[in-house]
């Protein structure tokens, strides 16, 4: 089972460049989300989606865009990278959002991004 | 703004000793409380999802309790082993719009 797959694992960008972090899951999960991990800050929610065509902002959405055209994929776009976006990014998914928030999150392996 | 607090931030425990730490969350509009274990250079993995007041979950030497009325959950580790060294995160669905917010974690170090 592939689970949650993130690509790339590592990326170095220059300030102002754009890129897309890919996330795909093969578990038919409705709920997908992006977090960033920074020292001393734990995991902070960037954007999330409760199904195809539906997205919403998390705690730290500025500088990031998302879309959800299929159940399987939830890409995260950095439009103009800034050094403050240097971080480790995790994608996570789960079943049954909202009405039954008792389903655990499954995490991808992470993308380490450096913006110079 | 939803606030999920974990304490202590860091903990050093002698191998073989038992330990516990705390997750505090808003007691109103409770849906569920998640615990995750996060080893260095790996991804977080779920330990427990707790939904009922008074709930107690157990997985080997690790257990957790939940008090939704006062807004806290305890995670207990009995007879700590080196492989228990990790960061333990709790997470709280903010409300019915499905935001799952994490605390900053408790970093557990097991000393040989």
């Amino acid at each position: 089972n592939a689970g949650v797959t993130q690509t790339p694992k590592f990326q170095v960008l220059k300030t102002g460049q754009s890129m897309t972090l890919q996330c795909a899951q093969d578990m038919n999960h409705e709920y997908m989300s992006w977090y960033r991990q920074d020292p001393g800050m734990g995991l902070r929610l960037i954007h999330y989606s409760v199904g195809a065509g539906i997205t919403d902002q998390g705690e730290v959405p500025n500088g990031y865009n998302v879309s959800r055209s299929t159940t399987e994929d939830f890409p995260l776009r950095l439009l103009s990278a800034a050094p403050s976006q240097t971080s480790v990014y995790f994608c996570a998914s789960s079943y049954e959002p909202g009405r039954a928030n008792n389903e655990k999150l499954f995490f991808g392996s992470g993308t380490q991004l450096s913006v110079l | 703004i939803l606030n999920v607090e974990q304490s202590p931030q860091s903990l050093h425990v002698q191998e073989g000793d038992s330990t516990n730490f705390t997750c505090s969350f808003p007691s109103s509009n409770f849906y569920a409380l998640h615990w995750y274990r996060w080893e260095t250079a790996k991804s977080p993995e779920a330990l427990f999802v707790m939904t009922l007041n008074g709930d107690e979950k157990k997985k080997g030497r690790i257990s957790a309790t939940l008090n939704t009325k006062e807004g806290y959950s305890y995670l207990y580790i009995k007879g700590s082993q080196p492989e228990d060294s990790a960061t333990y995160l709790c997470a709280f669905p903010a409300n019915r719009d499905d935001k799952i917010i994490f605390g900053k974690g408790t970093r557990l170090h097991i000393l040989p």
Side-chain angles (χ1 to χ4, degrees):
Chain A
N1 289 334
V4 181
T5 302
Q6 283 184 242
T7 56
K9 291 192 182 301
F10 302 95
Q11 183 71 49
V12 178
L13 292 178
K14 293 182 180 178
T15 296
Q17 286 185 315
S18 62
M19 80 157 295
T20 300
L21 279 63
Q22 301 291 345
C23 176
Q25 52 87 15
D26 62 358
M27 297 174 281
N28 203 32
H29 285 168
E30 289 293 330
Y31 181 90
M32 296 186 75
S33 55
W34 278 101
Y35 291 88
R36 59 179 287 174
Q37 176 217 347
D38 301 295
M41 301 299 291
L43 289 172
R44 292 185 293 171
L45 181 66
I46 305 172
H47 285 285
Y48 66 102
S49 168
V50 299
I54 305 169
T55 63
D56 208 343
Q57 296 181 349
E59 302 170 274
V60 288
N62 292 341
Y64 307 95
N65 277 358
V66 292
S67 60
R68 185 92 180 271
S69 56
T70 67
T71 299
E72 294 78 20
D73 299 298
F74 191 44
L76 179 72
R77 297 183 186 85
L78 283 70
L79 301 177
S80 178
S84 60
Q85 294 178 304
T86 293
S87 187
V88 180
Y89 292 83
F90 286 96
C91 178
S93 70
S94 74
Y95 292 108
E96 293 194 353
R99 285 184 294 275
N101 257 326
N102 58 352
E103 294 289 347
K104 63 184 179 181
L105 288 172
F106 292 81
F107 283 83
S109 57
T111 296
Q112 189 168 323
L113 176 68
S114 295
V115 183
L116 306 177
Chain B
I1 297 175
L2 184 73
N3 211 17
V4 181
E5 298 282 347
Q6 289 190 248
S7 62
Q9 187 174 1
S10 180
L11 192 55
H12 292 76
V13 174
Q14 205 69 41
E15 183 177 349
D17 287 352
S18 298
T19 187
N20 65 85
F21 26 92
T22 308
C23 174
S24 301
F25 53 87
S27 56
S28 58
N29 296 323
F30 177 83
Y31 291 93
L33 193 283
H34 300 207
W35 279 102
Y36 293 82
R37 171 194 164 87
W38 192 5
E39 293 181 70
T40 302
K42 294 187 178 180
S43 303
E45 291 186 349
L47 287 170
F48 308 113
V49 177
M50 310 177 78
T51 57
L52 298 175
N53 186 42
D55 218 359
E56 183 169 343
K57 302 269 187 177
K58 189 173 181 182
K59 190 175 187 177
R61 295 179 291 98
I62 303 177
S63 61
T65 60
L66 178 67
N67 184 324
T68 61
K69 294 182 179 179
E70 296 183 36
Y72 65 84
S73 176
Y74 292 135
L75 190 78
Y76 299 90
I77 300 179
K78 186 177 178 182
S80 302
Q81 299 297 309
E83 58 266 28
D84 296 329
S85 292
T87 297
Y88 292 83
L89 298 167
C90 67
F92 182 73
N95 49 46
R96 289 182 69 86
D97 75 0
D98 313 312
K99 293 180 185 179
I100 299 179
I101 304 299
F102 280 81
K104 294 181 181 179
T106 292
R107 182 76 178 96
L108 177 64
H109 306 263
I110 305 301
L111 306 171

